[in-house]
Amino acid sequence: MRTYQFPLDLVRERPPERPVALVRPRSVSVAARWFQDNLKADVFYAVKANPSRWVIETLIDAGVTGFDVASLAEIELVRSVSSDARLAFMHPVKSRSAITRAYFDHGVRTFSLDCEEELQKILDATGGADDLNLIVRMAVSADGAAYTLSGKFGVSADQAPSLLLSTRRAVKDGLMGVSFHVGSQCMRPSAYEAAMAQVGRAITRAGVFVDIVDVGGGFPSVYPGMVPPDMSEYADAIHRGFNEMPVSETTELWCEPGRALVAESSSVLARVELRKGDALYLNDGSYGSLFDATHSRWPFPTKLVRDGERSAELKAFQFYGPTCDSIDHMPGPFWLPADIREGDFIEIGMLGAYGVAMSTGFNGYGEHEVAAVEDAPMASLYGLAPRSIPTVRTTAEEQARKIVRLSRPKGKAGQRKQRRR
Ligand SMILES: Cc1ncc(COP(=O)(O)O)c(C=O)c1O
């Protein structure tokens, strides 16, 4: 992988034909260090967030040894980098052959489940192995998360005690655990504490001993309009929640962060193929790395990467991707210099999680180049850049603010208000 100091250096050297994932491995190492230093938990990186080989290699170099894998392909990927990484197959629904191959060919010992049928399947597919670690996934409320992850998976609170009991009985020499997912991009640290209290009640009702409490993923990143609380608040909430749980001193705490380890590490360099008024047609889109810009309407931060003068005036643009599908539209608003034109390159930031990972080959697009860059990410929760992305005010909004300022009440009430500022 070639390394450039700035994205502009790449554009100057050779304007790329395909979109380029601009990656910052150092930012992954810094995020990994935060988890290792601040959360008293074993870290299992959720590979699905960004299954790039450089991410796995960087995490292993940074001392992360655990990986949450969702498929045989992810298992093979991690194994191709490390023969001794700890793999946890945390997809609650797996094929029999995937379980068998994971166990016998790749040394996977940890499997999650959320029903009796999956428990039986895991036992059958591993020949009743006595060294399995079995983790029961519980559904919990997703308060304050952008994406809820309890709709499809997770045993309900009323059915959990009986599943916990049968899983405890099925575990022989391995460990028995319980996991949950508070939802992705969780903006409320208290959601972890609430989920742990809910899981604790199920453990008490089941009357079982639990070896592992796995708080899943959900740790946030920074996006326009979304500045999460300080990461230390998440660590504090989880430690408080763990202390209150009916578990013992030997119970292990695990976590499966995806987004928070990789989101700030990558941006995408896309080219403007055509401009029609405020619409920019790009060579990347919702079938590429901009899934969330379409489906969640996230207005990712943008920068013009042009060698030369640009208009000082910023304008709000919408993007269209390269496929022929009308869904391939990113409403934004994306703020860019008013004179942007065909052939310009745009860096779209904060796309390290669920960005390139979501790319498809629809319409023959979706292939990316990868290049490393040494500049800072557009925002950072780990001190590498500002914690928030500045919001651009439209002229209409500015006008509205001026009107509010001008219409401040006169007399004593107005003076009082003025003093308080
Ligand atoms: C089982 C499991 N663990 C961890 C994650 C990672 O979640 P996040 O990226 O929100 O940290 C996911 C995401 O879907 C998941 O399904």
Side-chain angles (χ1 to χ4, degrees), residues 194-210:
M196 290 167 104
Q198 204 177 323
V199 169
R201 286 192 289 276
I203 294 173
T204 304
R205 278 175 56 208
V208 293
F209 176 73
V210 167

Side-chain angles (χ1 to χ4, degrees), residues 44-49 68 70 90-92 112 137 149 153 179-181 183-186 192 214 216-220 256-261 353-354:
F44 289 75
Y45 167 60
V47 174
K48 60 176 77 70
D68 152 22
M90 300 306 281
H91 193 314
S112 85
R137 163 107 170 240
L149 285 170
F153 298 128
S179 74
F180 58 83
H181 200 303
S184 203
Q185 183 66 9
C186 175
Y192 287 88
D214 177 350
F219 302 91
E256 305 161 18
R259 181 186 304 281
L261 285 176
Y354 309 106

Side-chain angles (χ1 to χ4, degrees), residues 35-74:
F35 274 88
Q36 288 161 326
D37 290 350
N38 295 283
L39 204 58
K40 295 178 199 140
D42 291 2
V43 177
F44 289 75
Y45 167 60
V47 174
K48 60 176 77 70
N50 188 332
S52 305
R53 202 179 170 80
W54 70 267
V55 172
I56 314 290
E57 287 169 348
T58 306
L59 286 170
I60 287 174
D61 285 348
V64 172
T65 54
F67 292 84
D68 152 22
V69 286
S71 61
L72 207 49
E74 287 189 356

Side-chain angles (χ1 to χ4, degrees), residues 15 22 25 45 52 77 152 182 194 210 245 260 321 369 371 382 386 390 402:
L22 299 170
Y45 167 60
S52 305
L77 167 70
K152 185 170 174 184
V182 293
V210 167
M245 288 185 81
E369 284 182 42
Y382 310 103
K402 275 188 196 139

